[in-house]
Amino acid sequence: MIKEVFIIGIGGAVGSILRYTTGQYIAKHFPHAIPTGTLLVNIIGCLLIGFLIGFFDKQQIINAHWKFLLITGFCGGFTTFSTFAAENYNLITNNQIPQALLYIGLSVILGLLAVWAGLSISRLIA
């Protein structure tokens, strides 16, 4: 288990650094009213996680270390949105539409409420 955690950590560190640098580059060179850097990172991450899942499946690569490094680590560090999208895709393709809609709705609504709650708590304490 320690080896897997270390492998995921390496992939996550590289993904996080790339997320930050990509986001900064896009924001600097393509300023818009919305966070374009984050949007682009999320879309690239979704494309990449879909490709990797399909590639590993098609090539019948069963070495879990590569999956830990690239999918869980790198894609997870690059953007957790890619994991969220892949999980919803799996729910939809397994004909679990109500569960997918519930997961999407709860993630967005509860995520926004959690940010609001965190900010509110920080204002009370700080």
Side-chain angles (χ1 to χ4, degrees):
M1 172 146 153
I2 298 295
K3 185 176 184 179
E4 288 83 5
V5 170
F6 183 70
I7 291 169
I8 291 167
I10 290 171
V14 172
S16 295
I17 292 166
L18 191 58
R19 176 186 64 225
Y20 174 77
T21 56
T22 302
Q24 291 297 308
Y25 178 83
I26 297 298
K28 180 180 178 182
H29 296 288
F30 304 98
H32 292 287
I34 63 169
T36 311
T38 302
L39 176 64
L40 184 62
V41 164
N42 286 339
I43 301 306
I44 291 169
C46 290
L47 176 67
L48 185 58
I49 201 169
F51 171 80
L52 289 170
I53 290 169
F55 179 79
F56 285 133
D57 187 48
K58 184 173 182 174
Q59 299 299 319
Q60 298 179 348
I61 297 173
I62 56 173
N63 184 332
H65 292 133
W66 283 107
K67 292 178 182 179
F68 287 142
L69 178 71
L70 297 173
I71 294 173
T72 307
F74 180 80
C75 288
F78 191 60
T79 170
T80 56
F81 187 79
S82 60
T83 303
F84 172 72
E87 290 169 343
N88 278 293
Y89 179 81
N90 284 334
L91 288 171
I92 292 167
T93 56
N94 289 319
N95 206 27
Q96 295 175 293
I97 308 300
Q99 292 89 336
L101 293 174
L102 179 64
Y103 183 34
I104 293 166
L106 286 174
S107 295
V108 171
I109 292 167
L110 294 177
L112 289 170
L113 287 173
V115 168
W116 172 80
L119 287 169
S120 298
I121 292 166
S122 74
R123 290 181 185 133
L124 292 173
I125 295 173

